[in-house]
Amino acid sequence: MTDLNPQAKQMADESMVRNLAAQARAIWPQEVPLLRRYQLPDEARILDAGCGTGEIASRVGELFPRATVLGVDILDQHLELARSRYALLAPRLTFEHQSVYELGAPDDTFDLTLCRHVLHSIPDLERVIRELARVTRPGGYLHLIPEDYGMLHFPRAAFDPRDFWHEVSAAFSSATGTDLFAGRHTFRILARMKLDPIMVDYVVVDTIRVPRETFAAIIEAWRDGYSAAIGELTKVSRDSALAYFNQMIAHIRDPLQYAVWMVPVVSARKLENLAA
Ligand SMILES: C[S@@+](CC[C@H](N)C(=O)[O-])C[C@H]1O[C@@H](n2cnc3c(N)ncnc32)[C@H](O)[C@@H]1O
């Protein structure tokens, strides 16, 4: 039977809480203009599917002050943290235990459905995207961040990080039944579903646009959360993974070096008549 949550351990680790906070600080400022493009009703209904600790559901709630925002996740400890951190935004912002494979909402419910940093980490992204589209109303929008580990570029030195990201991501994907190159594969899924228009934009997390310490915090959290699993699931040992990550972190902190993580933001509008 397929494990529908192969990164459960990493998602629950304290390093993921740090990571989601750093990712939000890095990505949100560039994501706001992308979210503002959507033609939403004043009292929009918004879903954040796989909301984690609520970093973004809360920001979306503040960005659209008359919207109702529901964050769902399967990790109760993240949901509890989100509820306690953002209690002031309740009841306009709520958090529920639901799986993105089987959401509780009826068809055609939400004006905007977000799913950020989830699709690459779980199997069968097409099934999940179809479920996200199901609960989005005709005329509403999908706003997806499917990560792609071929879109990180770091200086070459003692190690070549290109080898690391390519080898590790391919092996990790096969071992877990996921697609760590989901960023480049999401368009074709949306295109087959006749969603239109489909847009692919990029948030650029680099050493110019984002504070070096924030970018470094993301890679440190990945190092702390994933090196052991990389050692178990790929040909790259845990120690070697640590060395690759440490070289990348040192380069991010070095004011003479440049590094970049291209983060795809894939969005689409659900047509009135969504083909089955
Ligand atoms: C990397 S975090 C992203 C959190 C949030 N979207 C953000 O951008 O800050 C991925 C989240 O997806 C959740 N997740 C994994 N499988 C899920 C599922 N089947 N249904 C709902 N959430 C899921 C994990 O528990 C985790 O909180």
Side-chain angles (χ1 to χ4, degrees), residues 4-8 11-12 16 19-21 23-24 31 48-57 72-76 78 96-103 114-122 128 145 147 222 226:
L4 291 182
N5 194 11
Q7 291 192 23
M11 292 299 170
M16 184 55 71
N19 188 17
L20 298 182
Q23 284 184 171
E31 196 175 355
D48 185 6
C51 63
T53 51
E55 293 280 352
I56 296 304
V72 303
D73 205 286
I74 48 169
L75 249 186
D76 288 318
H78 282 349
E96 289 180 10
H97 184 117
Q98 288 184 26
S99 171
V100 293
Y101 290 100
E102 207 169 351
L103 293 163
L114 297 95
C115 187
R116 307 172 74 267
H117 307 287
V118 178
L119 293 168
H120 63 285
S121 69
I122 56 177
V128 176
I145 296 188
E147 290 182 9
W222 280 345
Y226 285 90

